[in-house]
Amino acid sequence: MIRAPGEAVDLTNCDREPIHLLGAIQPIGFLVSLTDDWTVDRASANLEVFTGVKAADLIGRPFGDLVDPEALHNLRNRAAMLLGDDAVERLFHCRLIPGRKPFDVAVHLSGGRTIIEAQPSSEPGGDATNTVRSMVARLDRTPDFPRFFNEGARLVRALTDFDRVMIYRFAEDGSGEVVAEACRAGIGSFKGLHYPANDIPRQARALYKRNLLRIISDVDAEPAPVVPARDSEGRLLDLSLSVLRSVSPIHIEYLRNMGVRASMSISIIVDGQLWGLFACHHYSPMSPTFERRSVCELLAQMFSMRLESRERKELVEFERRARDISDQLLGAVASDDTLLNDPDWLSDILTSAIPADGVGVWIKGSQASSGATPDAADMRRIVARLNEVSPDRVYATDHIAELVPDATSVPASVAGLLAIPISRAAPNFVILFRRELVRSVSWGGDPHKPVTYGPNGPRLTPRESFAEWKETVKGRARPFTASELRVAETLRATLVEVVLRMADAATLQRQQASERQELLIAELNHRVRNILGVIRGLIRQSKPHDDTIESFVKLVDGRIHALARAHNQITDDHWGPAPIQALIDAEAAAFLADRPDRIRSQGGHVLLNPQAYSTMALVMHELVTNSAKYGSLSDQGTVDITWKVQSDGDLLVEWTERGGPPVKTPTRKGFGTTIIDRSVPYDLGGEASIDYAPAGVTARLRIPARHVSQSGGEHVPRVRFPRPSIGHPTPPPSAVLTGERMLLVEDSLIIALDAEDVLTRLGASAVMTASTVEAALEVIESGAPSLAMLDINLGDRTSYAVADRLRALGIPYIFASGYGEQTTLPEAHVGRAVLQKPYTLENVARALDALRNERAGAAPAPV
């Protein structure tokens, strides 16, 4: 609703009154509105008073016809500095009009127009920077909030000389309280008075967040209208950011009823929200200079920052104590889980974090209580209502009668509660109760009589009396604060953990067999899928030099047999660490059945974990194969293999060929050479080097210490895989990754090479591969990918940290895993698609096509 100037305001529209579209300004200055080329299209009717030029004569002319050229240049520069929707630039002591006294000028943008507001300037007010600095230092020396507020009010009054300066703090319900005051003697005090929420309408609160300072110089002054009132499209000028905006007639009447002739308000913004106001009153016309008002605004901003810092410091300390109590609770129950059924003990520990008069515990229909609590019947009604309104989050009220109107015994004992749910499946709660707090609230006038009746029916009329009016509040407790609610959330997490631990202990024996079976199936599924992925990669990458089927079969057969021999060894040891000597013996027996002693080994009993063992099996197989074809084992030579655990725990393996034909450096790098060069660095994070010296090939491999001992796994929440549709398979989309920069995180070199080929065939413009979390994060920071495919299990770590970073950057990603249906994801990534290994052109194409569709907002295709 847009209300034209002069239109009546009544009960049907008062809270929607467009106070930013009043079409007039206060007469202490003038306003002009400029088009893009700085032609005047509107001006305040009082322009002639300040400039000697009538508003009607200036409209349609360049603004430069009115102002000094240097001033015009400065104003244009200020306009160019406007950043953000609510920016206002200021210019003090500006020689705006030739032959006239200086003006203080404000510049802002509104509806595509540049708005210039000016009022006569006074003499320079001194060093504003040092003034504010010294005032902030005084604020910092106050030891507590009451004195901090009082000092803030004193400082603003010292700057402005208003009769009364108050700090007005808003409550959650929108009402406010005067928490500090500085005023001249003999005018009484408003400190401690409360004011109802409807004293400041919603639209006024919104403007307080945009335009931080509001001045009303004289409630009896006649506003100067902006002419023309509407532009060519019939729109009123939006004066939200105007420093001279005229005043709503309702607010004028409100101030008159208080006996106030002039006022100023400065917003106090804390954590992005309107915390309160500096409210300044004067009982005669009053207009601090624009420069002095700007200093006040700066001081208020510094006050807000200091206030926010103090509140956060207090909150951090409060929550630190709560965490200590939470840790104490968890530790105590860990050693004695019967404590949760002891309401007296639970009451002592919980009320030391959140003050309360009683604690009730409701678990599976059983009640235990300590202190001031309702009787069993009302407790049952309360729990039933809590299960309806807040079964899975903390809930607080200072008026239980609103939650459970028929709880007859509640008002006589307690009036407020804070409920902490401690389970998800059943209505189990720990509830803190507070007694009724009968208190007297002092209001600035009777807040319950805002309406009077006249000949034209009901009309909103501000209260005529602002004398102190006291109200006795019954049936309510002291409200739970936002800090206490945050502490309750922390305690909830602890209590849920305690309950879950107790439930786990009660059902552990019954679940052990089922869990063991699921674990074995999941591990088997993971192993099989990974082995299939490795074999598939071996087949795709094993391209013989002569392109014959026989060579291809022999090459693949040898590599798969090497994996099979390694797999047999580590499964014989129950998938535990296996000796490196056994791996070398198996390769020697496979290639040199007649003279296995041509491979000589020395290094003692050293074990490798399964991942390192499989990788080294392929590396040793390629070294033996190459030597049998071209090196010392092709003739009458020998190979010496030695290994040694270094002081840092790393394992150093050396391969030395002797007595063979002269060695030549290979002219091409085949897949076997790639395995030797890259497997240990890529799969294990170690180092590898090979030297083709004429006397014989030498190779050095360093395996990090973490692979010389068995690693553990991680536990994460479960997730379900999407199942493929039943029926005829859908052909994969062609070139689904055209133009995409792919990040591939895969800890197996062979599987990574195979996946790179698949992604390239699907049209990816670049494939950036990483085998570790650190490497993947470096890739993301150096050149952000457009899509990502993440193997979940990276040895003894997971890729969830990479997923967290991608999620923060808004980069789409999918997971990949060999665990099949047993794959689990943490809460932050629940619902994310998981691609089952092994990678194929079809399943990768479908998964990434669905991911691209999801990014574009289309319905995802089935994976």
Side-chain angles (χ1 to χ4, degrees):
M1 181 195 70
I2 302 298
R3 185 181 66 85
E7 181 180 335
V9 179
D10 58 27
L11 287 174
T12 66
N13 62 23
C14 63
D15 204 36
R16 303 188 305 277
E17 182 190 6
I19 58 177
H20 60 304
L21 301 174
L22 295 175
I25 63 170
Q26 298 178 62
I28 58 176
F30 68 88
L31 175 149
V32 292
S33 170
L34 309 177
T35 61
D36 291 340
D37 60 357
W38 281 53
T39 297
V40 177
D41 69 339
R42 280 191 267 199
S44 59
N46 65 342
L47 181 68
E48 185 178 7
V49 175
F50 298 96
T51 68
V53 178
K54 294 182 179 180
D57 294 340
L58 186 62
I59 292 173
R61 291 169 54 192
F63 188 51
D65 290 353
L66 174 68
V67 300
D68 181 81
E70 182 179 355
L72 180 65
H73 174 75
N74 292 335
L75 289 173
R76 281 185 174 273
N77 285 341
R78 290 290 178 176
M81 296 169 61
L82 292 170
L83 299 175
D85 294 337
D86 297 337
V88 178
E89 285 293 324
R90 300 166 172 85
L91 201 61
F92 302 114
H93 310 292
C94 174
R95 294 288 177 179
L96 189 64
I97 310 297
R100 298 268 176 168
K101 291 183 178 181
F103 286 85
D104 292 335
V105 184
V107 184
H108 72 272
L109 301 178
S110 176
R113 297 291 189 263
T114 300
I115 307 300
I116 308 290
E117 296 177 276
Q119 66 181 97
S121 176
S122 63
E123 292 301 318
D127 188 348
T129 301
N130 281 330
T131 299
V132 173
R133 182 186 295 115
S134 64
M135 288 184 168
V136 171
R138 293 180 64 88
L139 287 172
D140 289 341
R141 287 196 295 270
T142 57
D144 52 37
F145 279 113
R147 278 176 277 193
F148 177 78
F149 296 147
N150 287 335
E151 187 64 23
R154 289 180 64 241
L155 293 175
V156 172
R157 183 164 188 263
L159 280 172
T160 62
D161 204 29
F162 272 91
D163 288 337
R164 187 193 308 274
V165 174
M166 300 169 284
I167 291 184
Y168 185 78
R169 179 174 59 192
F170 290 114
E172 288 188 7
D173 63 359
S175 64
E177 178 188 3
V178 178
V179 296
E181 180 184 57
C183 58
R184 67 176 172 85
I187 62 172
S189 174
F190 289 172
K191 186 175 179 179
L193 294 184
H194 292 69
Y195 292 84
N198 58 17
D199 270 20
I200 303 178
R202 286 176 297 177
Q203 69 272 32
R205 294 170 193 261
L207 281 182
Y208 280 134
K209 292 179 66 175
R210 299 188 60 197
N211 194 342
L212 301 184
L213 188 143
R214 173 74 163 136
I215 181 72
I216 301 174
S217 61
D218 185 356
V219 297
D220 294 328
E222 186 70 25
V226 175
V227 293
R230 299 180 183 270
D231 61 12
S232 59
E233 299 179 5
R235 294 174 302 185
L236 295 168
L237 183 61
D238 187 337
L239 296 175
S240 296
L241 302 179
S242 169
V243 298
L244 301 176
R245 186 179 74 244
S246 64
V247 190
S248 159
I250 292 295
H251 191 54
I252 290 288
E253 189 172 352
Y254 183 92
L255 293 175
R256 283 175 175 161
N257 289 347
M258 294 186 76
V260 173
R261 290 288 302 275
S263 75
M264 185 175 77
S265 58
I266 318 172
S267 304
I268 301 173
I269 306 294
V270 174
D271 203 18
Q273 300 300 317
L274 184 62
W275 182 95
L277 300 169
F278 284 98
C280 310
H281 288 172
H282 208 68
Y283 295 95
S284 61
M286 174 74 161
S287 181
T289 66
F290 186 32
E291 181 182 18
R292 184 52 58 97
R293 300 201 304 268
S294 297
V295 174
C296 289
E297 184 177 340
L298 177 59
L299 175 62
Q301 289 175 312
M302 299 301 297
F303 180 90
S304 299
M305 293 172 61
R306 291 301 198 270
L307 174 58
E308 182 173 340
S309 176
R310 287 181 177 229
E311 287 189 341
R312 287 191 175 181
K313 183 178 180 180
E314 186 179 77
L315 174 61
V316 167
E317 177 60 24
F318 184 61
E319 293 185 347
R320 183 196 62 76
R321 294 199 309 270
R323 285 193 299 272
D324 291 343
I325 292 169
S326 180
D327 293 341
Q328 178 186 348
L329 187 154
L330 188 59
V333 176
S335 59
D336 184 3
D337 58 16
T338 63
L339 288 174
L340 191 60
N341 297 319
D342 183 348
D344 293 330
W345 175 85
L346 196 60
S347 177
D348 288 342
I349 194 168
L350 292 181
T351 56
S352 62
I354 304 174
D357 300 305
V359 173
V361 182
W362 184 277
I363 298 179
K364 296 180 180 179
S366 298
Q367 175 189 354
S369 59
S370 174
T373 58
D375 62 22
D378 282 335
M379 187 72 169
R380 189 176 298 108
R381 295 188 186 96
I382 290 171
V383 169
R385 282 289 293 143
L386 288 172
N387 198 42
E388 293 175 5
V389 301
S390 185
D392 55 1
R393 61 181 178 86
V394 170
Y395 175 87
T397 178
D398 65 344
H399 191 39
I400 295 178
E402 292 180 352
L403 177 71
V404 188
D406 59 345
T408 55
S409 70
V410 169
S413 56
V414 293
L417 66 79
L418 188 154
I420 306 175
I422 58 174
S423 65
R424 300 182 182 91
N428 297 333
F429 293 91
V430 171
I431 308 174
L432 282 71
F433 293 96
R434 284 181 176 172
R435 296 181 184 275
E436 179 185 33
L437 179 63
V438 179
R439 64 191 188 278
S440 177
V441 177
S442 298
W443 295 90
D446 186 351
H448 305 298
K449 298 180 179 180
V451 180
T452 60
Y453 289 84
N456 297 317
R459 175 182 175 276
L460 183 70
T461 302
R463 296 191 306 279
E464 295 180 358
S465 172
F466 286 83
E468 181 175 345
W469 186 87
K470 291 191 175 183
E471 176 184 24
T472 300
V473 178
K474 295 183 178 181
R476 292 184 179 272
R478 181 170 66 84
F480 292 92
T481 66
S483 298
E484 290 170 339
L485 293 180
R486 281 192 286 268
V487 170
E489 289 289 357
T490 301
L491 293 174
R492 175 178 178 267
T494 301
L495 290 168
V496 168
E497 183 176 350
V498 167
V499 171
L500 290 176
R501 182 178 297 180
M502 294 172 62
D504 288 344
T507 60
L508 179 61
Q509 186 174 9
R510 184 172 63 252
Q511 293 177 347
Q512 279 181 338
S514 175
E515 290 176 354
R516 187 181 301 113
Q517 183 181 23
E518 288 186 10
L519 179 62
L520 290 173
I521 292 173
E523 188 63 28
L524 176 62
N525 197 10
H526 172 66
R527 302 294 178 189
V528 170
R529 289 183 184 276
N530 268 351
I531 288 295
L532 289 176
V534 171
I535 291 174
R536 189 171 182 275
L538 285 174
I539 294 173
R540 292 176 56 82
Q541 298 295 328
S542 297
K543 299 175 181 177
H545 302 312
D546 53 9
D547 292 330
T548 64
I549 293 296
E550 292 79 7
S551 297
F552 175 75
V553 171
K554 184 176 181 180
L555 197 60
V556 173
D557 184 68
R559 288 169 176 162
I560 291 177
H561 272 79
L563 281 177
R565 289 191 293 271
H567 189 268
N568 287 339
Q569 183 63 46
I570 55 183
T571 51
D572 286 345
D573 290 309
H574 305 285
W575 203 259
I580 190 173
Q581 182 68 62
L583 185 153
I584 295 169
D585 291 345
E587 287 297 321
F591 279 83
L592 305 168
D594 53 344
R595 287 192 57 192
D597 58 334
R598 292 176 64 190
I599 298 180
R600 299 175 300 201
S601 58
Q602 182 180 2
H605 187 67
V606 176
L607 302 176
L608 296 177
N609 70 15
Q611 180 188 1
Y613 201 86
S614 297
T615 298
M616 286 298 295
L618 281 178
V619 172
M620 284 296 173
H621 173 76
E622 294 303 328
L623 286 170
V624 172
T625 301
N626 289 345
S627 182
K629 287 182 178 180
Y630 314 111
S632 62
L633 297 182
S634 68
D635 200 350
Q636 297 300 316
T638 60
V639 173
D640 289 314
I641 306 175
T642 61
W643 58 90
K644 179 182 179 181
V645 177
Q646 298 178 302
S647 59
D648 59 0
D650 291 355
L651 180 66
L652 183 64
V653 180
E654 296 187 350
W655 166 284
T656 306
E657 297 187 23
R658 295 184 175 87
V663 174
K664 296 180 180 179
T665 302
T667 58
R668 64 181 295 275
K669 189 173 182 179
F671 181 57
T673 307
T674 299
I675 288 177
I676 298 171
D677 285 344
R678 294 181 61 187
S679 286
V680 171
Y682 191 99
D683 289 346
L684 308 180
E687 297 175 358
S689 63
I690 185 167
D691 181 21
Y692 296 96
V697 173
T698 59
R700 290 170 59 88
L701 308 169
R702 184 184 63 79
I703 302 171
R706 66 180 181 274
H707 297 294
V708 182
S709 61
Q710 187 174 7
S711 301
E714 294 184 6
H715 176 73
V716 288
R718 299 189 58 180
V719 71
R720 287 292 181 185
F721 277 73
R723 294 186 176 275
S725 57
I726 300 174
H728 297 291
T730 304
S734 60
V736 296
L737 299 181
T738 299
E740 300 286 357
R741 289 170 50 82
M742 289 295 307
L743 169 62
L744 170 66
V745 180
E746 172 58 65
D747 66 331
S748 169
L749 171 63
I750 295 170
I751 297 177
L753 292 171
D754 191 36
E756 286 179 5
D757 288 348
V758 170
L759 295 173
T760 301
R761 289 176 62 190
L762 290 174
S765 62
V767 180
M768 299 163 285
T769 307
S771 63
T772 65
V773 170
E774 291 75 16
L777 294 175
E778 285 184 14
V779 169
I780 294 171
E781 299 305 325
S782 61
S786 57
L787 296 174
M789 187 163 68
L790 314 178
D791 183 19
I792 292 176
N793 295 287
L794 305 176
D796 59 345
R797 298 183 65 183
T798 68
S799 61
Y800 296 137
V802 181
D804 291 339
R805 183 58 181 154
L806 292 169
R807 184 166 175 256
L809 294 174
I811 299 173
Y813 59 95
I814 61 170
F815 290 109
S817 175
Y819 273 95
E821 292 287 347
Q822 287 73 33
T823 299
T824 56
L825 295 177
E827 185 175 352
H829 304 289
V830 168
R832 182 65 57 177
V834 182
L835 178 65
Q836 295 190 38
K837 291 185 179 179
Y839 299 123
T840 67
L841 185 68
E842 292 78 11
N843 69 0
V844 172
R846 277 193 293 270
L848 294 179
D849 187 53
L851 189 63
R852 292 185 72 185
N853 287 337
E854 183 179 347
R855 178 181 63 186
V863 178

